[in-house]
Amino acid sequence: MKSRILILVCMLISQLNFAQTKGNLSGWVVDKNTQKPIQGAAITLVNTRYATVTDSMGYYSFKSIPTGTYQILVKSMGSLPVNLFNVIVTTGNETNNTIELIPNDVILKEVVVGTNKKTVRTATLETPLSVQKLTAEEIKSNPGGNFDISKVVQALPGVTGSASTGAGFRNDIIVRGGAPNENVFYIDGIEIPVINHFSTQGSAGGPQGILNVSFIDEVKLSSSAFDAKFDNALSSVFEFKQKRGNNEHLQGNFRLSATEFAATFDGPLSKNGKTTFLASARRSYLQFLFQAIDLPIRPNFWDFQYKITHIIDPKTTLSFIGVGAIDEFSFAAPKNATPEKIYALNFSPAINQWSYTVGASLKKLVNKGFWNLAISRNHLNNINEKYEDNLNPIKGEKTFDYSSNELENKLRWDITKSVLGFKWAAGVNFQNVSYDNSTNQLLKYTLSNNAIVSNYVNYNSNFNYNKYGSFIQIGKKAFNNRLGISAGARVDGNSFTTHGNDLFKQFSPRLGLSWVVSNELTWNASIGNYFKVAPNTSLGFKNAAGIYMNQVADYVQSTHYVTGIEYIPSDATRFTAEVFYKKYKNVPISVNKGISLSNLGADFSILGNEDILTNGLGKSYGFELFAQQKLTDRFFGVMSYSFFRSSYTNATGKYIASAWENIHLLSMTGGYKFNKNWEIGIKFRYQGGTPYTPYDMNLSKISFATLGSGVLDYTRLNSERNKAYHSSDLRLDKKYNYKKTTLDFYIDITNWYGAKSVAPPFYVFSANPNGSFKTTDGKPLQKDGSNAIPELFDNNSIFITPTIGFIWEF
């Protein structure tokens, strides 16, 4: 009987799947330079009979077209044609895009020749090289990405995601050898300081991204030649462009997997469709997964996101955005104690963290341009607690007690115009920063005259200051439009640091060049000087006398020299090759450790919460190769290779390889679309081994029982190196289109062939199966570890992570 019912259900699903296969597709077309809607643009679905034109608002729509994958070609008189690849139409959610066209008077003459050949190009006049883009579909279908943008970008040249060479359980984005806190993130022009759950304060990484991919239209990554409107960027700028909500009807999707549940809705808020919304919420189930596999940690998180767009009139648009997260990290006793579990149990602090960014932006179209006004507020509340025994905490044995708030209120205004062949932009920004911190931490034990001495730091800080800046950028074509020139400059200052108001110390000029060699080949180059203020965790550090020790900190300075070529043989194929050199000055050096802070920030501690000197130097150099094939028939793929060396000076001025120096990075991602909505994707990644610092065995022995970890010997900083690492991820998708809904089943297997992760060994005391420590005399463990049996435990494990889930669109 059960088998008959199962057969009937399968037959019903099959019939429903083939009975209704119609969906909708819509979007907006605007001028990239002026943001004005383009009326009369021709929209064609390539290799079909479907075509339409945009209305007075630049809007287009296809109703009841067959479901499937399309290529959209957009043409308008006086603009460069644009292709959109891998646009998926389903019966569940209506797909919409905002398409920006570049006017003919701004593009190079030779680019116009050959019709739409250059629409795969991602560079602009302001950023002529070192820029990549990802569409929402490329993010969703990325094998091993788990819908996490921070993981997906690791397929791009020069990008890696973890300090250690391993399975990459954290999203510490390392770009061209720079530290994790050298990147900035913007959503629709509003800065988002925190984009990861359980974020490392003072840095940017964490184990899981916050942003909902269902909101994203595209992601743009610039690894050099930054637009002058962005401040505090040393290694990269991430620009997330969100979709507009559906202006005709309510729609949404539910996503369920073994680790999370997410719900997303979008639709109109007014009858005329001028006000739309997107909203989502996500709940983690990682704590249940970790319980099932007997891990002693219990991460638990929620996140929320919204966007409201209101068209005041044809020239004025008001948008509201918000992103928030609630994180909790706790512990539970493992059923079977192992060295790895004991280490995980007592190494990390319990974390209670929440964050949000809310903002509003007003865009106004003016003659031959537009201006933007953005107001935003972001807040991070971070509480960390750590005990000698995290399972059985006793107040008197607390080794880390940390509570902090970072609150920023921001105002940005900029204007962009195109006049007489020049494209120019200018703007100002202002921030009011509030920061408070309560820290009581046992750093380590040391030996003095054969006596054990504890090293504590204990202070409270609470201060408020202002940050401000301004910029100008101008671009022009010359020599019969073969040469593109863009020059920009910005200055930044603050009211807290000693030299913060000396704007000339933070003067940041930049220059970009682009030369069209032929219709397929372009040479590009850029040079720029970029600055970043020290994190609030450093600025707020006090000594025992209550004095702010780091108020004299200078801005970190990074000078970039980049050149390369771009070869585009067809409208869907792109090759790039680039050489880069980055030189750092004023890099923070830890007074206590004697090392550069740029080697830290890829764990769950607090970065910069200590006395520093900003007299360090650094350098990173290398080359990158990149190849991309957009989906035109069934296959799409990306391949990148990077070679780089990265090093920073220590307290004595000696250059030492950085903790991020893989030397070699190779990534290959590809996908194939079969008939009947089947799709397969595969990703392979090779990373050279990263350096690591060995333990001080004597200090580790006397500290481990209290700190739960060994003490690193920074006199031998990064003197050891991990082995190289490689792995591959596999993903299989199948879509079922019903009358008004779509069901997408997927299987995603991370590290499907079982490669060993590669990471440094960790210091532990030998333990019994019940979790108690073995001792040399059979007695309970002494607090100073004198009767312990130390060992360095091999941290190379095999993690195969299968994920089965579905997405229901309605």
Side-chain angles (χ1 to χ4, degrees), residues 75-297:
K75 290 184 177 181
S76 178
M77 183 72 69
S79 298
L80 176 68
V82 166
N83 272 287
L84 265 66
F85 302 92
N86 199 14
V87 179
I88 296 178
V89 175
T90 67
T91 53
N93 289 169
E94 179 173 333
T95 301
N96 69 70
N97 299 280
T98 298
I99 304 168
E100 296 180 328
L101 299 186
I102 303 175
N104 279 346
D105 61 347
V106 177
I107 59 178
L108 303 185
K109 181 178 180 181
E110 281 73 15
V111 173
V112 181
V113 179
T115 65
N116 57 341
K117 217 176 215 187
K118 300 299 180 261
T119 59
V120 72
R121 192 171 194 241
T122 59
T124 63
L125 179 63
E126 299 80 11
T127 307
L129 76 176
S130 302
V131 58
Q132 308 291 344
K133 285 184 180 179
L134 291 170
T135 65
E137 281 305 320
E138 289 170 331
I139 297 169
K140 290 177 183 177
S141 62
N142 185 271
N146 196 28
F147 305 96
D148 191 338
I149 298 169
S150 298
K151 290 183 172 65
V152 175
V153 297
Q154 296 172 36
L156 299 178
V159 183
T160 185
S162 181
S164 63
T165 309
F169 73 99
R170 284 178 55 90
N171 292 334
D172 302 293
I173 299 174
I174 314 300
V175 180
R176 290 180 170 176
N181 67 344
E182 295 181 7
N183 314 300
V184 295
F185 310 92
Y186 285 81
I187 296 183
D188 293 341
I190 291 177
E191 186 177 6
I192 309 290
V194 179
I195 66 164
N196 285 298
H197 288 284
F198 305 102
S199 178
T200 301
Q201 192 173 359
S203 187
Q208 178 67 43
I210 293 175
L211 302 181
N212 185 346
V213 68
S214 295
F215 278 54
I216 303 301
D217 194 358
E218 69 174 23
V219 180
K220 177 181 176 182
L221 166 64
S222 304
S223 52
S224 193
F226 308 134
D227 194 310
K229 66 182 177 181
F230 299 116
D231 60 315
N232 256 12
L234 295 181
S235 279
S236 76
V237 176
F238 284 81
E239 297 175 73
F240 302 96
K241 187 172 76 173
Q242 297 187 114
K243 299 177 180 178
R244 298 190 198 182
N246 191 287
N247 62 349
E248 295 182 349
H249 60 267
L250 179 67
Q251 63 181 21
N253 66 73
F254 295 132
R255 187 174 79 237
L256 179 66
S257 71
T259 59
E260 63 182 25
F261 172 74
T264 304
F265 301 90
D266 71 286
L269 289 176
S270 62
K271 291 183 179 180
N272 59 12
K274 290 186 176 181
T275 306
T276 61
F277 82 97
L278 294 118
S280 73
R282 178 171 56 161
R283 173 75 160 89
S284 163
Y285 293 129
L286 280 173
Q287 67 272 32
F288 303 121
L289 174 63
F290 284 17
Q291 181 179 3
I293 61 179
D294 195 31
L295 284 180
I297 56 177

Side-chain angles (χ1 to χ4, degrees), residues 67-82:
T67 58
T69 302
Y70 290 92
Q71 177 183 338
I72 303 176
L73 173 60
V74 184
K75 290 184 177 181
S76 178
M77 183 72 69
S79 298
L80 176 68
V82 166

Side-chain angles (χ1 to χ4, degrees), residues 227-232 411-415 425-431 467-473 488-494 503-504 506-510 529 531 555:
D227 194 310
K229 66 182 177 181
F230 299 116
D231 60 315
N232 256 12
L411 173 69
R412 292 178 181 273
W413 181 84
D414 61 77
I415 185 170
V428 294
N429 62 278
F430 176 83
Q431 300 179 33
K467 294 195 291 187
Y468 50 89
S470 63
F471 79 91
I472 186 169
Q473 184 129 9
R490 70 169 294 118
V491 291
D492 292 284
N494 74 84
L503 299 184
F504 287 103
Q506 291 87 240
F507 178 65
S508 176
R510 65 224 41 210
N529 212 19
F531 290 89
Y555 281 65

Side-chain angles (χ1 to χ4, degrees), residues 406-686:
E406 288 191 68
L407 180 62
E408 297 177 323
N409 296 297
K410 302 177 181 180
L411 173 69
R412 292 178 181 273
W413 181 84
D414 61 77
I415 185 170
T416 301
K417 298 198 75 172
S418 297
V419 181
L420 299 176
F422 287 89
K423 181 182 178 182
W424 64 269
V428 294
N429 62 278
F430 176 83
Q431 300 179 33
N432 178 258
V433 182
S434 296
Y435 178 79
D436 66 70
N437 179 347
S438 174
T439 298
N440 187 359
Q441 182 180 9
L442 173 62
L443 298 177
K444 63 182 178 180
Y445 289 119
T446 57
L447 290 172
S448 178
N449 297 324
N450 295 322
I452 298 176
V453 179
S454 58
N455 291 259
Y456 273 95
V457 58
N458 188 348
Y459 71 95
N460 293 279
S461 60
N462 190 333
F463 64 94
N464 181 285
Y465 70 102
N466 298 319
K467 294 195 291 187
Y468 50 89
S470 63
F471 79 91
I472 186 169
Q473 184 129 9
I474 187 167
K476 173 68 176 174
K477 297 294 165 44
F479 296 104
N480 196 27
N481 283 336
R482 296 179 67 88
L483 176 66
I485 306 175
S486 179
R490 70 169 294 118
V491 291
D492 292 284
N494 74 84
S495 62
F496 182 76
T497 62
T498 304
H499 303 291
N501 289 317
D502 187 352
L503 299 184
F504 287 103
K505 289 196 69 172
Q506 291 87 240
F507 178 65
S508 176
R510 65 224 41 210
L511 176 68
L513 301 173
S514 181
W515 178 263
V516 176
V517 179
S518 69
N519 192 40
E520 292 82 20
L521 185 65
T522 305
W523 168 81
N524 306 292
S526 73
I527 180 174
N529 212 19
Y530 311 107
F531 290 89
K532 176 181 175 61
V533 69
N536 291 322
T537 50
S538 293
L539 298 181
F541 178 78
K542 285 182 176 180
N543 65 4
I547 299 173
Y548 287 107
M549 296 298 294
N550 300 325
Q551 203 162 359
V552 296
D554 289 320
Y555 281 65
V556 182
Q557 177 182 341
S558 181
T559 304
H560 293 201
Y561 307 88
V562 190
T563 186
I565 58 173
E566 182 177 53
Y567 177 65
I568 304 177
S570 71
D571 62 342
T573 307
R574 175 172 172 251
F575 300 92
T576 65
E578 293 185 7
V579 180
F580 66 89
Y581 180 83
K582 297 196 296 185
K583 181 173 61 176
Y584 291 86
K585 291 176 61 178
N586 307 331
V587 179
I589 300 287
S590 166
V591 172
N592 179 47
K593 302 181 181 75
I595 68 169
S596 170
L597 291 194
S598 293
N599 281 297
L600 305 174
D603 54 24
F604 294 99
S605 60
I606 311 299
L607 178 67
N609 197 27
E610 57 183 304
D611 190 8
I612 62 172
L613 296 173
T614 52
N615 59 359
L617 302 174
K619 58 185 177 182
S620 179
Y621 59 90
F623 67 89
E624 299 169 350
L625 305 174
F626 178 73
Q628 181 179 37
Q629 173 62 47
K630 291 283 190 176
L631 177 74
T632 53
D633 185 13
R634 294 182 180 272
F635 170 78
F636 57 95
V638 170
M639 182 174 70
S640 67
Y641 170 75
S642 302
F643 168 89
F644 72 93
R645 305 303 299 257
S646 171
S647 59
Y648 297 92
T649 58
N650 60 9
T652 65
K654 179 183 177 182
Y655 275 97
I656 299 175
S658 78
W660 336 108
E661 192 192 61
N662 296 93
I663 302 179
H664 301 284
L665 294 174
L666 174 66
S667 178
M668 295 182 288
T669 304
Y672 191 86
K673 290 181 178 286
F674 297 93
N675 293 328
K676 300 182 179 180
N677 295 321
W678 285 94
E679 180 178 341
I680 190 170
I682 188 168
K683 177 170 65 179
F684 173 81
R685 186 164 180 82
Y686 172 90

